[in-house]
Amino acid sequence: MCFMKNEGLDKSSRKDIKKQIRKLDRSNNSLLGTTNDIIDLGNDQQNTYDLTSGDASDGEHSVSLDDDGVINIEGGNNNAEHIHELTHAALPLRANDGNHVFNERGNLTTTGSNQIVHERKAYTAQFFYDSRSLPRTSQLTISDYRQIGLPYIASIKSSSGKPVYERASAQWEKLSRKQRSKIMRETKNLGKN
């Protein structure tokens, strides 16, 4: 934390400056986390990784296992999407067994409620790299990383209009209308602070 003289600054200005410093600290910490993800992937002796680009016209990218046993980290046309997928590739290295689990299509999988946790971490890393790169939804515009949660993740749709995260979408739909309204109101308010 830096120290500054408060001379000539009114209370509101000092508050705004401190808020901006906290925001930059969070961003710096997230980017350090991304750097550590890259280091961990580079130090992984059990796997070989390849950073790839795909067109993914539906907006979906992935971490997948190819026929040669190489784990492909597929992003889009911008580095922020690669940051998102790097986060997914690194998360299993921190799990108890440290193994990546792939589904029958060769894509990295998460189990149950971990989908929301993993997507939140990946979208948060992406947000701090480039907040404008996040998928747009009709439900929510993300202006603060704290808004990245179930309402946002459940509302991300492919170009065909299908939910990208079906389990998150189903979990969101199981909530009553009143619960969804309350959570959405609270989430939108996080962007105002």
mmCIF file with all atom_site columns, all heavy atoms in Angstrom, residues 52-67:
data_model
loop_
_atom_site.group_PDB
_atom_site.id
_atom_site.type_symbol
_atom_site.label_atom_id
_atom_site.label_alt_id
_atom_site.label_comp_id
_atom_site.label_asym_id
_atom_site.label_entity_id
_atom_site.label_seq_id
_atom_site.pdbx_PDB_ins_code
_atom_site.Cartn_x
_atom_site.Cartn_y
_atom_site.Cartn_z
_atom_site.occupancy
_atom_site.B_iso_or_equiv
_atom_site.pdbx_formal_charge
_atom_site.auth_seq_id
_atom_site.auth_comp_id
_atom_site.auth_asym_id
_atom_site.auth_atom_id
_atom_site.pdbx_PDB_model_num
ATOM 1   N N   . THR A 1 52 ? -3.519  -22.987 -28.283 1.00 0.00 ? 52 THR A N   1
ATOM 2   C CA  . THR A 1 52 ? -4.082  -22.989 -29.632 1.00 0.00 ? 52 THR A CA  1
ATOM 3   C C   . THR A 1 52 ? -5.171  -21.935 -29.758 1.00 0.00 ? 52 THR A C   1
ATOM 4   O O   . THR A 1 52 ? -5.698  -21.455 -28.754 1.00 0.00 ? 52 THR A O   1
ATOM 5   C CB  . THR A 1 52 ? -4.678  -24.365 -29.988 1.00 0.00 ? 52 THR A CB  1
ATOM 6   O OG1 . THR A 1 52 ? -5.771  -24.651 -29.105 1.00 0.00 ? 52 THR A OG1 1
ATOM 7   C CG2 . THR A 1 52 ? -3.635  -25.467 -29.871 1.00 0.00 ? 52 THR A CG2 1
ATOM 8   N N   . SER A 1 53 ? -5.483  -21.603 -30.987 1.00 0.00 ? 53 SER A N   1
ATOM 9   C CA  . SER A 1 53 ? -6.583  -20.674 -31.255 1.00 0.00 ? 53 SER A CA  1
ATOM 10  C C   . SER A 1 53 ? -7.612  -21.398 -32.092 1.00 0.00 ? 53 SER A C   1
ATOM 11  O O   . SER A 1 53 ? -7.277  -22.143 -33.013 1.00 0.00 ? 53 SER A O   1
ATOM 12  C CB  . SER A 1 53 ? -6.094  -19.443 -32.024 1.00 0.00 ? 53 SER A CB  1
ATOM 13  O OG  . SER A 1 53 ? -5.273  -18.667 -31.199 1.00 0.00 ? 53 SER A OG  1
ATOM 14  N N   . GLY A 1 54 ? -8.862  -21.181 -31.768 1.00 0.00 ? 54 GLY A N   1
ATOM 15  C CA  . GLY A 1 54 ? -9.940  -21.767 -32.535 1.00 0.00 ? 54 GLY A CA  1
ATOM 16  C C   . GLY A 1 54 ? -10.930 -20.689 -32.884 1.00 0.00 ? 54 GLY A C   1
ATOM 17  O O   . GLY A 1 54 ? -10.997 -19.663 -32.212 1.00 0.00 ? 54 GLY A O   1
ATOM 18  N N   . ASP A 1 55 ? -11.699 -20.932 -33.933 1.00 0.00 ? 55 ASP A N   1
ATOM 19  C CA  . ASP A 1 55 ? -12.659 -19.894 -34.315 1.00 0.00 ? 55 ASP A CA  1
ATOM 20  C C   . ASP A 1 55 ? -13.857 -19.886 -33.392 1.00 0.00 ? 55 ASP A C   1
ATOM 21  O O   . ASP A 1 55 ? -14.389 -18.854 -33.076 1.00 0.00 ? 55 ASP A O   1
ATOM 22  C CB  . ASP A 1 55 ? -13.066 -20.016 -35.785 1.00 0.00 ? 55 ASP A CB  1
ATOM 23  C CG  . ASP A 1 55 ? -14.104 -21.087 -36.056 1.00 0.00 ? 55 ASP A CG  1
ATOM 24  O OD1 . ASP A 1 55 ? -14.638 -21.678 -35.104 1.00 0.00 ? 55 ASP A OD1 1
ATOM 25  O OD2 . ASP A 1 55 ? -14.393 -21.324 -37.229 1.00 0.00 ? 55 ASP A OD2 1
ATOM 26  N N   . ALA A 1 56 ? -14.254 -21.062 -32.909 1.00 0.00 ? 56 ALA A N   1
ATOM 27  C CA  . ALA A 1 56 ? -15.370 -21.183 -31.967 1.00 0.00 ? 56 ALA A CA  1
ATOM 28  C C   . ALA A 1 56 ? -16.449 -20.146 -32.238 1.00 0.00 ? 56 ALA A C   1
ATOM 29  O O   . ALA A 1 56 ? -16.703 -19.262 -31.435 1.00 0.00 ? 56 ALA A O   1
ATOM 30  C CB  . ALA A 1 56 ? -14.882 -21.107 -30.531 1.00 0.00 ? 56 ALA A CB  1
ATOM 31  N N   . SER A 1 57 ? -17.076 -20.277 -33.389 1.00 0.00 ? 57 SER A N   1
ATOM 32  C CA  . SER A 1 57 ? -18.103 -19.309 -33.770 1.00 0.00 ? 57 SER A CA  1
ATOM 33  C C   . SER A 1 57 ? -19.234 -19.236 -32.756 1.00 0.00 ? 57 SER A C   1
ATOM 34  O O   . SER A 1 57 ? -19.946 -18.248 -32.692 1.00 0.00 ? 57 SER A O   1
ATOM 35  C CB  . SER A 1 57 ? -18.651 -19.644 -35.156 1.00 0.00 ? 57 SER A CB  1
ATOM 36  O OG  . SER A 1 57 ? -19.177 -20.963 -35.166 1.00 0.00 ? 57 SER A OG  1
ATOM 37  N N   . ASP A 1 58 ? -19.366 -20.285 -31.946 1.00 0.00 ? 58 ASP A N   1
ATOM 38  C CA  . ASP A 1 58 ? -20.399 -20.263 -30.905 1.00 0.00 ? 58 ASP A CA  1
ATOM 39  C C   . ASP A 1 58 ? -19.888 -19.599 -29.628 1.00 0.00 ? 58 ASP A C   1
ATOM 40  O O   . ASP A 1 58 ? -20.598 -19.523 -28.642 1.00 0.00 ? 58 ASP A O   1
ATOM 41  C CB  . ASP A 1 58 ? -20.906 -21.671 -30.611 1.00 0.00 ? 58 ASP A CB  1
ATOM 42  C CG  . ASP A 1 58 ? -19.803 -22.601 -30.117 1.00 0.00 ? 58 ASP A CG  1
ATOM 43  O OD1 . ASP A 1 58 ? -18.654 -22.153 -29.974 1.00 0.00 ? 58 ASP A OD1 1
ATOM 44  O OD2 . ASP A 1 58 ? -20.106 -23.780 -29.887 1.00 0.00 ? 58 ASP A OD2 1
ATOM 45  N N   . GLY A 1 59 ? -18.641 -19.140 -29.642 1.00 0.00 ? 59 GLY A N   1
ATOM 46  C CA  . GLY A 1 59 ? -18.084 -18.454 -28.487 1.00 0.00 ? 59 GLY A CA  1
ATOM 47  C C   . GLY A 1 59 ? -17.523 -19.382 -27.431 1.00 0.00 ? 59 GLY A C   1
ATOM 48  O O   . GLY A 1 59 ? -17.024 -18.937 -26.410 1.00 0.00 ? 59 GLY A O   1
ATOM 49  N N   . GLU A 1 60 ? -17.590 -20.689 -27.682 1.00 0.00 ? 60 GLU A N   1
ATOM 50  C CA  . GLU A 1 60 ? -17.111 -21.648 -26.696 1.00 0.00 ? 60 GLU A CA  1
ATOM 51  C C   . GLU A 1 60 ? -15.692 -22.093 -27.031 1.00 0.00 ? 60 GLU A C   1
ATOM 52  O O   . GLU A 1 60 ? -15.405 -22.484 -28.146 1.00 0.00 ? 60 GLU A O   1
ATOM 53  C CB  . GLU A 1 60 ? -18.033 -22.872 -26.664 1.00 0.00 ? 60 GLU A CB  1
ATOM 54  C CG  . GLU A 1 60 ? -19.440 -22.541 -26.213 1.00 0.00 ? 60 GLU A CG  1
ATOM 55  C CD  . GLU A 1 60 ? -20.335 -23.762 -26.162 1.00 0.00 ? 60 GLU A CD  1
ATOM 56  O OE1 . GLU A 1 60 ? -19.916 -24.778 -25.577 1.00 0.00 ? 60 GLU A OE1 1
ATOM 57  O OE2 . GLU A 1 60 ? -21.434 -23.685 -26.703 1.00 0.00 ? 60 GLU A OE2 1
ATOM 58  N N   . HIS A 1 61 ? -14.830 -22.022 -26.039 1.00 0.00 ? 61 HIS A N   1
ATOM 59  C CA  . HIS A 1 61 ? -13.454 -22.500 -26.168 1.00 0.00 ? 61 HIS A CA  1
ATOM 60  C C   . HIS A 1 61 ? -13.262 -23.547 -25.094 1.00 0.00 ? 61 HIS A C   1
ATOM 61  O O   . HIS A 1 61 ? -14.120 -23.731 -24.231 1.00 0.00 ? 61 HIS A O   1
ATOM 62  C CB  . HIS A 1 61 ? -12.478 -21.337 -26.014 1.00 0.00 ? 61 HIS A CB  1
ATOM 63  C CG  . HIS A 1 61 ? -12.687 -20.269 -27.045 1.00 0.00 ? 61 HIS A CG  1
ATOM 64  N ND1 . HIS A 1 61 ? -12.293 -20.418 -28.340 1.00 0.00 ? 61 HIS A ND1 1
ATOM 65  C CD2 . HIS A 1 61 ? -13.285 -19.066 -26.970 1.00 0.00 ? 61 HIS A CD2 1
ATOM 66  C CE1 . HIS A 1 61 ? -12.623 -19.347 -29.031 1.00 0.00 ? 61 HIS A CE1 1
ATOM 67  N NE2 . HIS A 1 61 ? -13.236 -18.506 -28.218 1.00 0.00 ? 61 HIS A NE2 1
ATOM 68  N N   . SER A 1 62 ? -12.129 -24.236 -25.131 1.00 0.00 ? 62 SER A N   1
ATOM 69  C CA  . SER A 1 62 ? -11.996 -25.335 -24.185 1.00 0.00 ? 62 SER A CA  1
ATOM 70  C C   . SER A 1 62 ? -10.541 -25.697 -23.935 1.00 0.00 ? 62 SER A C   1
ATOM 71  O O   . SER A 1 62 ? -9.637  -25.207 -24.595 1.00 0.00 ? 62 SER A O   1
ATOM 72  C CB  . SER A 1 62 ? -12.731 -26.571 -24.720 1.00 0.00 ? 62 SER A CB  1
ATOM 73  O OG  . SER A 1 62 ? -12.099 -27.024 -25.917 1.00 0.00 ? 62 SER A OG  1
ATOM 74  N N   . VAL A 1 63 ? -10.378 -26.591 -22.976 1.00 0.00 ? 63 VAL A N   1
ATOM 75  C CA  . VAL A 1 63 ? -9.135  -27.296 -22.740 1.00 0.00 ? 63 VAL A CA  1
ATOM 76  C C   . VAL A 1 63 ? -9.445  -28.724 -23.138 1.00 0.00 ? 63 VAL A C   1
ATOM 77  O O   . VAL A 1 63 ? -10.405 -29.323 -22.643 1.00 0.00 ? 63 VAL A O   1
ATOM 78  C CB  . VAL A 1 63 ? -8.706  -27.213 -21.256 1.00 0.00 ? 63 VAL A CB  1
ATOM 79  C CG1 . VAL A 1 63 ? -7.456  -28.043 -21.014 1.00 0.00 ? 63 VAL A CG1 1
ATOM 80  C CG2 . VAL A 1 63 ? -8.499  -25.767 -20.840 1.00 0.00 ? 63 VAL A CG2 1
ATOM 81  N N   . SER A 1 64 ? -8.675  -29.266 -24.069 1.00 0.00 ? 64 SER A N   1
ATOM 82  C CA  . SER A 1 64 ? -8.989  -30.598 -24.574 1.00 0.00 ? 64 SER A CA  1
ATOM 83  C C   . SER A 1 64 ? -7.735  -31.438 -24.759 1.00 0.00 ? 64 SER A C   1
ATOM 84  O O   . SER A 1 64 ? -6.619  -30.912 -24.859 1.00 0.00 ? 64 SER A O   1
ATOM 85  C CB  . SER A 1 64 ? -9.742  -30.497 -25.903 1.00 0.00 ? 64 SER A CB  1
ATOM 86  O OG  . SER A 1 64 ? -8.942  -29.832 -26.865 1.00 0.00 ? 64 SER A OG  1
ATOM 87  N N   . LEU A 1 65 ? -7.932  -32.749 -24.794 1.00 0.00 ? 65 LEU A N   1
ATOM 88  C CA  . LEU A 1 65 ? -6.853  -33.708 -24.958 1.00 0.00 ? 65 LEU A CA  1
ATOM 89  C C   . LEU A 1 65 ? -6.864  -34.186 -26.397 1.00 0.00 ? 65 LEU A C   1
ATOM 90  O O   . LEU A 1 65 ? -7.884  -34.688 -26.878 1.00 0.00 ? 65 LEU A O   1
ATOM 91  C CB  . LEU A 1 65 ? -7.070  -34.878 -23.998 1.00 0.00 ? 65 LEU A CB  1
ATOM 92  C CG  . LEU A 1 65 ? -5.981  -35.940 -23.937 1.00 0.00 ? 65 LEU A CG  1
ATOM 93  C CD1 . LEU A 1 65 ? -4.691  -35.337 -23.372 1.00 0.00 ? 65 LEU A CD1 1
ATOM 94  C CD2 . LEU A 1 65 ? -6.434  -37.101 -23.057 1.00 0.00 ? 65 LEU A CD2 1
ATOM 95  N N   . ASP A 1 66 ? -5.725  -34.027 -27.100 1.00 0.00 ? 66 ASP A N   1
ATOM 96  C CA  . ASP A 1 66 ? -5.713  -34.501 -28.482 1.00 0.00 ? 66 ASP A CA  1
ATOM 97  C C   . ASP A 1 66 ? -5.226  -35.948 -28.541 1.00 0.00 ? 66 ASP A C   1
ATOM 98  O O   . ASP A 1 66 ? -4.868  -36.552 -27.525 1.00 0.00 ? 66 ASP A O   1
ATOM 99  C CB  . ASP A 1 66 ? -4.912  -33.565 -29.398 1.00 0.00 ? 66 ASP A CB  1
ATOM 100 C CG  . ASP A 1 66 ? -3.412  -33.603 -29.198 1.00 0.00 ? 66 ASP A CG  1
ATOM 101 O OD1 . ASP A 1 66 ? -2.896  -34.542 -28.547 1.00 0.00 ? 66 ASP A OD1 1
ATOM 102 O OD2 . ASP A 1 66 ? -2.741  -32.691 -29.696 1.00 0.00 ? 66 ASP A OD2 1
ATOM 103 N N   . ASP A 1 67 ? -5.225  -36.524 -29.725 1.00 0.00 ? 67 ASP A N   1
ATOM 104 C CA  . ASP A 1 67 ? -4.877  -37.935 -29.903 1.00 0.00 ? 67 ASP A CA  1
ATOM 105 C C   . ASP A 1 67 ? -3.442  -38.262 -29.503 1.00 0.00 ? 67 ASP A C   1
ATOM 106 O O   . ASP A 1 67 ? -3.126  -39.408 -29.202 1.00 0.00 ? 67 ASP A O   1
ATOM 107 C CB  . ASP A 1 67 ? -5.103  -38.348 -31.364 1.00 0.00 ? 67 ASP A CB  1
ATOM 108 C CG  . ASP A 1 67 ? -6.578  -38.293 -31.744 1.00 0.00 ? 67 ASP A CG  1
ATOM 109 O OD1 . ASP A 1 67 ? -7.440  -38.393 -30.840 1.00 0.00 ? 67 ASP A OD1 1
ATOM 110 O OD2 . ASP A 1 67 ? -6.871  -38.149 -32.952 1.00 0.00 ? 67 ASP A OD2 1
#
